[in-house]
Amino acid sequence: MTPEPNVNGLYVPLVTPFTDDLRLAPDALARLADEALSAGASGLVALGTTAETATLNAEERETVVRICSAACRAHGAPLIVGVGTNDTAAAITSLRELAAKGDVAAALVPAPPYIRPGEAGTLAHFTALSEHGGLPLIVYDIPYRTGQTLGAGTIAALGRLPGVVGIKHATGVIDPTTMELLASPCPVSPCSAVTTSSSRRSSRRAPTGGSSRRPICVPPTSPR
């Protein structure tokens, strides 16, 4: 298992810049990564939802990780990489490959999308990733994209898994689960939960979310 990272602070989920002919723009991505870190970001998130990862092929995803890794090394900053699939075995393989690179601090992993395995199935999925993936995990709770809602009890159970170092709770609304989480002890120990709901709420969440206990992710605007 990769050493447990410090995921406190502000991590910027990068967009993926493209050229006019729809090819990946590596130079623009490198500038974007450097600008975010130079401006004070604690670290980067590559291949998250903001990066339109589902539209990238394997070679493009590899290029994104390589460029972001180089930027984080240059700034001494951690890199978090998104790993999203409804195939547990494939997710474990992806986690192991990222862990072998040695440059990735943690993986941002949603509940299995589309298939809606239920809360027990989601917990089983993350248990397997925690036990066999070899990389610290940040649970990505984003039900309006995955189709799978998670109650506060399940989120707390996920936070107790030994490989889980954070939770990104991104429901898009301040719902009863969000209120219950805010009123409860942090589900991850040591506490490093990410509790932003969405980018449009970032400024309002900053007084609570911006502390060292509850960091917040803010998607930047893509340079065109």
Side-chain angles (χ1 to χ4, degrees):
M1 172 72 72
T2 299
E4 185 170 305
N6 177 5
V7 293
N8 289 328
L10 187 148
Y11 282 67
V12 177
L14 294 178
V15 299
T16 303
F18 293 90
T19 61
D20 290 340
D21 60 354
L22 302 183
R23 297 178 183 273
L24 180 68
D27 291 344
L29 178 59
R31 288 195 302 272
L32 184 63
D34 180 70
E35 288 171 2
L37 293 169
S38 296
S42 304
L44 300 178
V45 181
L47 302 183
T49 304
T50 309
E52 301 179 273
T53 305
T55 67
L56 302 178
N57 61 38
E59 182 179 355
E60 290 170 332
R61 291 194 296 271
E62 180 73 21
T63 299
V64 168
V65 172
R66 175 175 51 79
I67 291 171
C68 292
S69 294
C72 285
R73 281 197 306 272
H75 287 267
L79 173 65
I80 297 170
V81 175
V83 175
T85 175
N86 51 26
D87 182 341
T88 303
I92 290 172
T93 298
S94 295
L95 290 171
R96 288 176 174 173
E97 290 173 351
L98 288 173
K101 294 179 184 297
D103 291 330
V104 179
L108 180 65
V109 185
Y114 182 71
I115 60 174
R116 293 183 292 183
E119 295 190 61
T122 299
L123 182 57
H125 175 75
F126 277 99
T127 299
L129 302 189
S130 173
E131 292 176 350
H132 305 293
L135 194 66
L137 307 175
I138 298 173
V139 176
Y140 194 4
D141 179 22
I142 184 166
Y144 59 89
R145 292 192 182 274
T146 65
Q148 178 61 59
T149 58
L150 300 175
T154 298
I155 291 173
L158 290 166
R160 290 192 293 268
L161 293 175
V164 172
V165 298
I167 295 171
K168 181 176 181 181
H169 181 62
T171 59
V173 295
I174 305 299
D175 58 7
T177 297
T178 303
M179 297 303 296
E180 185 174 349
L181 290 171
L182 290 173
S184 303
C186 182
V188 182
S189 181
C191 184
S192 57
V194 181
T195 59
T196 178
S197 291
S198 66
S199 58
R200 66 179 177 274
R201 301 183 188 276
S202 295
S203 60
R204 288 193 289 169
R205 295 289 302 140
T208 300
S211 72
S212 62
R213 285 296 191 181
R214 294 177 183 267
I216 191 166
C217 293
V218 182
T221 301
S222 173
R224 294 294 181 185

